[in-house]
Amino acid sequence: MTEKQIARGGQFLVKETKSEDIFTPEDFSEEQLMMKQTVKEFVDKEIWPNKHRFENKDFAFTEECMKKAGELGLLGVAVPEEYGGLGMGFVSTMLVCDYISGATGSFSTAFGAHTGIGTMPITLYGTEEQKLKYVPKLASGEWFGAYCLTEPGAGSDANSGKTKAVLSEDGTHYKITGQKMWISNAGFCSVFIVFARIGDDKNITGFIVENDPSNGISMNEEEHKLGIRASSTRQVFFSDTKVPVENMLSERGNGFKIAMNALNVGRIKLGAACLDAQRRVTSGAVKYANERIQFNTPISNFGAIRSKIAEMATSCYAGESASYRAAKNVEERIEARVANGESHQDAELKGVEEFAIEASILKVAISEDIQNCADEGIQIFGGMGFSEDTPMESAWRDARIARIYEGTNEINRMLSVGMLVKKAMKGHVDLLSPAMKVQEELMGIPDFNTPDYSELFAEEKEMVAKLKKVFLMVAGAAVQKYGPDLDSHQQLLMAVADILIEIYMAESTILRTEKLVKSKGQENVKEQIAMAQLYLYKAVDIVNAKGKEGIASFSEGDEQRMLLMGLKRFTKYTNLPNVVALRETIAEKLISENEYCY
């Protein structure tokens, strides 16, 4: 294994990453480009022209489209070949999830729930018998899967569920009784992954339960939702539902672990599932801005509109950069573990778990970016954007759920920092040495020499390194003050998480662009350079604001003054970028191409 392959999750914070060591969308293989084309053709033919059917709650049509996706093999991309899937790598599964999800949230939710949390727990935790029995049917679309974790009293606190599983007297089956809610695909699924508690066990247990109404399974009507209207979402009730003992998933009490690991994969895929929606919203906004004439000129000539277009494109470009960087890290980790003799199951579980911090970062950042993007899309359309006759209002409604499911963004923010601190305590990521160095630097005399920034991105890369110092400074001081009680200071954790998120997103964007410059030449990627610089400029502002908020919340007197001086030093540009000029460069390209073109 090379050093790059054994890079650990969260290490981006303390280890310099070279642009040649990251994977970018420009690195897709021929096979991946063919898969991307297949998915785009499917969406443009089957999904996009029928958006109105999804908005009119045509649940049967969602199921019909899922069957067609199954026939094309798209439901089995991540499933190993021996169970009827395509057995593709993690990057390819991200790519499919990305491009299949842009036209409507209804279909992307059905697809994500089925391929992710509906099928994956059996693939990764099932016995050989369970996998042979269920996975081929799920991979082909003959059967559909759903995932029953959430209950009226158990949402973010997933392990607090009240659903019970009682072993029968003869020991052949369990009887499951309880209520589950917000179950995606419930209306047309064939099999549920159900989490229930056996006796007074501390942790819940997972079960594979076939959907048979005669076996004590009933449902409420479809939920009426703000968005994802044709995604089947129902409450499911189990009343003494018999489940054979051989249908227990993994071991007794392992359900919480299954649920959390399934959510790790779900989070990174959900980030990707927000990308093509951003591309389509941005392209739609650009086309409208070019066609809409006001004051005798297209509105795309107005600086206020061009600013919006540039920001929309930049957040999408950043999301792509970070998503595929993380996906390749996961894939390399899985391949390294398989090469060391681990089973595909164990390798994939550990590979994704290793990058759980990045998964949470991507989920939060990109779900918020698509919401902002759709909101600006409505604004560019003006009054028409508010109308159901244009796709913007449905994009805005569909985007809203992404900040809630797979763990709310608040939970994911706190998780990202909490997991990083745990990794540091286990010695998996050395945060202590760099944090001590930052502390020493704060006590020392600053270097007043003017650095040489003649090389492209020299200043930007130094800025990213300084932002990492802000994180180490603020998080380090907070850990020193609160120790294990840091968990209970949620507002501080949220501020620190935002710093972490901006570092990863900004660095990924700069590294992707630097790699592009090396392959295509600086003159040919001016717009991408502008997007990397614009994203970093905005990131520095966020880090400055969140750093100040954090410092003010736990320090005072001399300590506070020292930390604020450090913050000022670490968020100061030597040469401020011309933000308006950057936006103009980005917008001009999109407006001339009449679409998002990266």
Side-chain angles (χ1 to χ4, degrees):
M1 291 192 293
T2 66
E3 190 181 336
K4 176 164 73 91
Q5 281 175 313
I6 55 169
R8 305 200 76 115
Q11 252 181 0
F12 70 89
L13 193 64
V14 291
K15 198 172 175 186
E16 188 186 352
T17 306
K18 295 186 170 71
S19 61
E20 56 266 30
D21 289 343
I22 69 154
F23 183 88
T24 74
E26 291 76 30
D27 297 323
F28 288 147
S29 66
E30 282 301 312
E31 182 189 47
Q32 286 167 335
L33 289 171
M34 282 170 61
M35 179 56 82
K36 173 180 158 183
Q37 196 54 39
T38 300
V39 174
K40 283 180 78 170
E41 282 171 8
F42 168 73
V43 172
D44 287 336
K45 184 182 165 205
E46 304 289 348
I47 311 291
W48 187 256
N50 294 300
K51 260 185 86 79
H52 62 285
R53 294 186 67 175
F54 292 103
E55 293 314 303
N56 290 330
K57 305 184 182 181
D58 191 340
F59 300 104
F61 185 64
T62 301
E63 185 180 357
E64 188 185 314
C65 291
M66 285 287 287
K67 283 186 174 147
K68 285 179 181 170
E71 287 160 15
L72 287 171
L74 301 178
L75 301 182
V77 175
V79 172
E81 290 179 62
E82 58 265 39
Y83 307 115
L86 299 180
M88 294 180 116
F90 200 81
V91 172
S92 297
T93 69
M94 281 277 280
L95 185 152
V96 171
C97 200
D98 172 352
Y99 283 92
I100 210 163
S101 300
T104 168
S106 296
F107 181 79
S108 66
T109 298
F111 178 85
H114 170 76
T115 57
I117 51 182
T119 304
M120 188 182 52
I122 306 177
T123 313
L124 297 185
Y125 285 98
T127 61
E128 191 61 20
E129 292 75 21
Q130 288 170 345
K131 286 187 284 190
L132 287 168
K133 181 176 180 182
Y134 293 107
V135 177
K137 288 179 177 176
L138 292 165
S140 68
E142 181 188 343
W143 279 21
F144 294 114
Y147 179 86
C148 295
L149 177 64
T150 305
E151 298 183 11
S156 296
D157 184 7
N159 201 33
S160 64
K162 301 281 191 289
T163 298
K164 288 285 181 193
V166 179
L167 187 63
S168 62
E169 285 181 13
D170 61 4
T172 60
H173 61 270
Y174 284 91
K175 286 185 178 179
I176 292 182
T177 301
Q179 175 185 359
K180 299 289 181 178
M181 67 191 301
W182 310 125
I183 308 307
S184 297
N185 295 355
F188 60 86
C189 78
S190 319
V191 64
F192 297 105
I193 307 297
V194 181
F195 295 91
R197 195 177 310 278
I198 302 170
D200 293 324
D201 286 3
K202 180 186 173 189
N203 291 324
I204 50 180
T205 299
F207 296 89
I208 304 167
V209 182
E210 292 182 27
N211 184 7
D212 176 4
S214 68
N215 186 20
I217 299 174
S218 59
M219 295 181 202
N220 268 8
E221 290 300 305
E222 293 285 355
E223 299 285 352
H224 299 286
K225 308 183 295 289
L226 171 71
I228 57 169
R229 287 179 169 174
S231 152
S232 175
T233 313
R234 293 183 168 193
Q235 288 191 49
V236 183
F237 302 91
F238 299 95
S239 178
D240 284 341
T241 300
K242 290 182 180 178
V243 184
V245 289
E246 58 268 24
N247 274 29
M248 181 186 286
L249 196 54
S250 184
E251 300 158 14
R252 177 172 175 169
N254 219 20
F256 185 60
K257 191 173 182 184
I258 295 171
M260 291 304 100
N261 281 330
L263 290 174
N264 284 337
V265 184
R267 281 165 187 152
I268 193 168
K269 297 268 181 81
L270 179 58
C274 295
L275 290 173
D276 198 48
Q278 284 191 70
R279 292 187 202 103
R280 286 175 184 264
V281 166
T282 304
S283 292
V286 170
K287 285 182 173 71
Y288 185 80
N290 277 336
E291 291 163 8
R292 174 71 168 163
I293 308 293
Q294 288 292 281
F295 308 103
N296 299 319
T297 186
I299 64 170
S300 59
N301 286 336
F302 298 131
I305 301 295
R306 295 165 81 86
S307 168
K308 292 181 188 301
I309 288 168
E311 298 282 359
M312 291 159 79
T314 298
S315 69
C316 185
Y317 179 74
E320 291 171 348
S321 308
S323 292
Y324 287 102
R325 173 191 184 180
K328 187 63 172 178
N329 284 150
V330 172
E331 183 169 291
E332 286 172 341
R333 193 82 183 173
I334 292 167
E335 286 169 355
R337 284 180 169 276
V338 169
N340 277 353
E342 289 187 26
S343 69
H344 173 268
Q345 271 175 293
D346 290 342
E348 183 147 335
L349 272 171
K350 294 291 181 191
V352 175
E353 194 176 356
E354 180 62 49
F355 289 93
I357 294 164
E358 287 81 351
S360 281
I361 286 171
L362 291 167
K363 192 273 184 188
V364 172
I366 308 176
S367 67
E368 293 181 1
D369 283 343
I370 177 55
Q371 188 81 64
N372 294 334
C373 184
D375 198 68
E376 292 289 43
I378 289 178
Q379 198 68 13
I380 289 170
F381 269 69
M384 284 304 296
F386 206 68
S387 165
E388 287 189 5
D389 293 337
T390 62
M392 289 297 162
E393 68 88 35
S394 63
W396 186 88
R397 285 188 288 100
D398 282 354
R400 189 60 187 85
I401 188 61
R403 286 154 56 198
I404 298 171
Y405 58 19
E406 308 291 5
T408 66
N409 282 11
E410 291 71 27
I411 289 283
N412 273 288
R413 277 184 163 89
M414 290 183 283
L415 268 177
S416 62
V417 179
M419 289 187 289
L420 188 60
V421 170
K422 277 191 185 122
K423 268 182 176 270
M425 286 172 174
K426 286 180 183 171
H428 293 175
V429 176
D430 178 17
L431 292 184
L432 189 60
S433 310
M436 296 295 282
K437 277 187 189 163
V438 173
Q439 218 165 16
E440 285 165 26
E441 191 177 336
L442 286 175
M443 308 295 278
I445 299 164
D447 182 359
F448 293 109
N449 292 331
T450 305
D452 176 16
Y453 291 138
S454 54
E455 195 179 315
L456 179 68
F457 287 139
E459 181 164 9
E460 286 80 4
K461 283 158 92 173
E462 189 178 289
M463 282 302 300
V464 170
K466 289 197 293 188
L467 297 185
K468 292 178 183 182
K469 289 177 182 178
V470 173
F471 180 89
L472 291 165
M473 176 182 79
V474 178
V479 168
Q480 270 185 330
K481 182 168 179 77
Y482 296 120
D485 289 339
L486 184 62
D487 276 0
S488 60
H489 296 269
Q490 291 192 350
Q491 293 186 54
L492 173 58
L493 278 177
M494 302 264 285
V496 172
D498 280 339
I499 297 171
L500 187 67
I501 289 164
E502 292 307 322
I503 290 167
Y504 188 71
M505 301 301 287
E507 182 181 64
S508 301
T509 310
I510 289 164
L511 291 173
R512 174 188 181 181
T513 310
E514 187 183 26
K515 192 173 184 180
L516 263 174
V517 169
K518 287 174 183 172
S519 66
K520 293 190 174 181
Q522 190 169 334
E523 268 309 297
N524 298 316
V525 290
K526 292 196 301 289
E527 297 81 17
Q528 289 95 323
I529 292 168
M531 287 193 285
Q533 291 171 333
L534 178 62
Y535 191 93
L536 177 64
Y537 173 82
K538 306 273 290 210
V540 170
D541 265 1
I542 292 168
V543 169
N544 191 16
K546 296 296 178 177
K548 197 185 293 182
E549 182 186 320
I551 290 164
S553 74
F554 67 79
S555 65
E556 52 189 24
D558 288 345
E559 184 195 15
Q560 188 178 92
R561 276 188 286 277
M562 186 184 71
L563 291 171
L564 287 172
M565 266 172 44
L567 180 66
K568 189 176 179 183
R569 192 194 306 180
F570 296 146
T571 54
K572 188 180 178 197
Y573 275 93
T574 303
N575 305 289
L576 266 178
N578 181 336
V579 179
V580 171
L582 293 178
R583 290 197 195 112
E584 277 297 311
T585 299
I586 300 159
E588 185 56 43
K589 176 71 170 173
L590 272 91
I591 288 162
S592 65
E593 295 284 340
N594 204 29
E595 65 177 357
Y596 178 85
C597 50
Y598 302 105

